[in-house]
Amino acid sequence: MKLSKVPIFPKKKIVGKREWGNEYLLRLVSKKYTLKLLEIKKGKSGGLQFHRKKNEVGYLISGKMLVTYANSRGILKKKIIRKGDTFHFPPGSIHKETALENCKIIEASTPHFNDRVRVEEQFGIKNSSGLNTTRIKDIKFL
C-alpha cells in the first residue's frame, strides 16, 4: 500500500530572544496553528497585552504562574495557575503571565506571529520592558 502522507518529526526552533526566558517553535502548520514550548524564568513576565487576531491556549507543564487579566467590565483580576492547569486567551482578551516559579508551558495558537497590543498605560501601569505593540498591517499569518 502506498501512502501519500507520512508523519513529520520536526526539531524545535528558538523563536527569538526573550527577556523572560525561551520560546521554542515546536511545529507550524501553515495557516492553521502553531505549537510552542515556553520557558518562563521565576520572577519574569511578559507585558500586559492583547492580540487582535491570535487565539491561544496553554497547558502549564511545570511551575506556578500568576495570570493578570481584564474581566468583562475591564477590571484587572489575578489568578494563580499551577502545573496541570490550562488557559485560553481569545483575540481581544487582555492578559499577562508572571512566573512565580520557573514555568514550562505548551502553547497552541493560530499562526499570527507578531500580534500584540500593549495596554499598560490604559491601566495606569508604568510600561515595562518587552516587545512593543505591532501595527495590524505588520501581523504575519504564516
Side-chain angles (χ1 to χ4, degrees):
M1 175 165 93
K2 186 174 180 176
L3 299 175
S4 60
K5 300 288 181 184
V6 296
I8 299 168
F9 301 95
K11 299 221 183 291
K12 69 181 179 182
K13 297 182 223 174
I14 190 85
V15 172
K17 205 170 196 177
R18 303 290 184 249
E19 294 176 15
W20 44 259
N22 297 305
E23 182 174 1
Y24 299 100
L25 179 63
L26 302 176
R27 184 66 175 136
L28 165 66
V29 177
S30 186
K31 308 290 188 218
K32 295 188 181 191
Y33 58 85
T34 63
L35 185 64
K36 293 181 186 175
L37 170 63
L38 308 177
E39 298 173 334
I40 305 174
K41 297 175 191 170
K42 180 181 178 178
K44 300 292 185 175
S45 65
L48 187 63
Q49 64 181 353
F50 70 88
H51 308 294
R52 294 179 188 99
K53 298 180 178 190
K54 184 177 180 180
N55 197 341
E56 64 186 5
V57 297
Y59 176 79
L60 190 58
I61 297 171
S62 64
K64 183 166 67 169
M65 189 166 67
L66 175 67
V67 178
T68 303
Y69 65 97
N71 69 11
S72 61
R73 294 185 306 238
I75 297 169
L76 289 182
K77 299 286 187 176
K78 295 180 187 271
K79 179 174 180 64
I80 293 177
I81 66 171
R82 292 173 171 77
K83 176 183 175 180
D85 288 340
T86 61
F87 57 86
H88 178 205
F89 301 138
S93 64
I94 294 170
H95 62 281
K96 174 181 179 174
E97 301 108 331
T98 303
L100 301 175
E101 300 172 353
N102 286 337
C103 293
K104 286 188 179 182
I105 301 165
I106 292 291
E107 177 190 288
S109 69
T110 54
H112 295 96
F113 285 86
N114 206 27
D115 177 12
R116 94 189 55 77
V117 178
R118 298 290 296 266
V119 294
E120 288 93 350
E121 288 183 19
Q122 290 90 315
F123 289 91
I125 299 169
K126 184 180 177 195
N127 194 352
S128 59
S129 60
L131 300 172
N132 294 324
T133 294
T134 53
R135 297 178 300 183
I136 197 162
K137 70 178 189 171
D138 293 331
I139 297 171
K140 297 173 188 165
F141 185 62
L142 302 178

